[in-house]
Amino acid sequence: MILLILGGLIVSLPFIWMISSSFKPESEILQMPPTLFAENPTFQNYISLFTNMNFGVYLKNTLIIVALSFVGLFFNAMAGYGFAKYHFKGKEKVFYVVLATMMIPGQVTMIPVYLLLNKMGLINTMIGIVLPGLAAAFSIFLFRMFMSTIPTDLIEAARLDGAGEFYIFFRLIMPISKPIFAVQGILTFIAAWNSFLWPLIIANDESLYTLSVGLSLLKGQYASNFALQMAGAAFMVIPIIIIFSLFQKYIVEGFTTSGLK
């Protein structure tokens, strides 16, 4: 137990240093010997992110991408449910094609997708940033695998009671699938919150940049202001930790649940 606590403290030390340094004045962060906690804490670094940089715009764009990515998450869940519980011609072949796309690196498809969006007139638009990420083969695969374990008799019983397909999905399948929704929710949030390369490629206007792109600009424009960089990094990391804390109980339920009663 003592070794685990020590190990946890050692692993957490860089994160603690980042949070503490984000509240330090610029002069204190370069102080020798260095201090672990801020002697004169200040919120000026966080204020500067929104006054000297366009972090307010970057935050708005990132939140829009996150929100639309969660819409895509529900579409992926519906696709996974369809592959798991519906029977239609060519279902297995289509599913194998979906799986095959997982073997293609995203960097390979960026140029073809860019050319398609260019023909559609979606370059330098928020739709162009979000649209390619709405469907994710890995997400569909996980939903399909999890929902295949749900007894079909339970769905048939709901249909006999007069429940419609959408009612079954939202009122029956989704509550049962909380663990997989929690896992995919965390992965979706992290991917959308940290989106960097694609927004940088597709957007020519700084008003469409995300927080990750803004953090990269911050490192370039304020390379010597380490306190401001720590504030930007902390602003990126803390929401991810909060989201994980909110969803972790559902993830634990996924490992402890052995069946349906």
Side-chain angles (χ1 to χ4, degrees), residues 256-261:
T256 57
T257 302
S258 58
L260 298 173
K261 293 183 180 179

Side-chain angles (χ1 to χ4, degrees), residues 99-147:
L99 293 182
T101 62
M102 294 171 57
M103 297 183 286
I104 304 175
Q107 294 80 0
V108 175
T109 61
M110 281 186 177
I111 294 178
V113 172
Y114 182 91
L115 294 175
L116 287 173
L117 293 177
N118 187 36
K119 289 184 178 181
M120 297 170 64
L122 297 178
I123 299 298
N124 202 37
T125 64
M126 184 59 68
I127 296 177
I129 295 175
V130 175
L131 189 61
L134 289 182
F138 181 68
S139 179
I140 294 173
F141 169 75
L142 286 185
F143 277 116
R144 192 252 190 185
M145 292 297 101
F146 185 91
M147 292 177 179

Side-chain angles (χ1 to χ4, degrees), residues 110-239:
M110 281 186 177
I111 294 178
V113 172
Y114 182 91
L115 294 175
L116 287 173
L117 293 177
N118 187 36
K119 289 184 178 181
M120 297 170 64
L122 297 178
I123 299 298
N124 202 37
T125 64
M126 184 59 68
I127 296 177
I129 295 175
V130 175
L131 189 61
L134 289 182
F138 181 68
S139 179
I140 294 173
F141 169 75
L142 286 185
F143 277 116
R144 192 252 190 185
M145 292 297 101
F146 185 91
M147 292 177 179
S148 295
T149 63
I150 300 175
T152 305
D153 293 342
L154 194 64
I155 300 172
E156 292 296 336
R159 288 171 179 161
L160 290 174
D161 289 338
E165 297 302 319
F166 283 101
Y167 183 90
I168 292 173
F169 179 79
F170 286 105
R171 299 299 298 271
L172 178 63
I173 302 301
M174 283 184 60
I176 295 174
S177 304
K178 278 184 180 179
I180 191 62
F181 268 100
V183 173
Q184 283 301 107
I186 291 174
L187 295 177
T188 300
F189 178 84
I190 292 175
W193 185 261
N194 293 332
S195 54
F196 171 75
L197 185 57
W198 182 247
L200 187 63
I201 292 174
I202 205 75
N204 302 320
D205 190 351
E206 188 178 349
S207 63
L208 293 173
Y209 284 171
T210 61
L211 284 173
S212 294
V213 179
L215 185 61
S216 178
L217 296 176
L218 177 65
K219 292 179 181 178
Q221 297 178 16
Y222 297 90
S224 60
N225 193 336
F226 300 108
L228 190 61
Q229 292 184 43
M230 291 298 103
F235 193 78
M236 287 290 300
V237 172
I238 291 177

Side-chain angles (χ1 to χ4, degrees), residues 20-75:
S20 175
S21 297
S22 68
F23 292 101
K24 293 179 181 179
E26 187 177 356
S27 58
E28 186 179 341
I29 200 170
L30 298 175
Q31 179 179 310
M32 295 300 294
T35 57
L36 180 59
F37 298 102
E39 296 178 351
N40 301 298
T42 176
F43 286 96
Q44 185 58 44
N45 294 319
Y46 290 95
I47 295 174
S48 297
L49 290 177
F50 292 90
T51 55
N52 299 336
M53 300 285 292
N54 292 327
F55 261 65
V57 176
Y58 305 152
L59 176 60
K60 181 192 72 173
N61 294 335
T62 303
L63 291 177
I64 291 174
I65 294 174
V66 169
L68 294 178
S69 296
F70 274 98
V71 174
L73 175 65
F74 283 100
F75 289 152

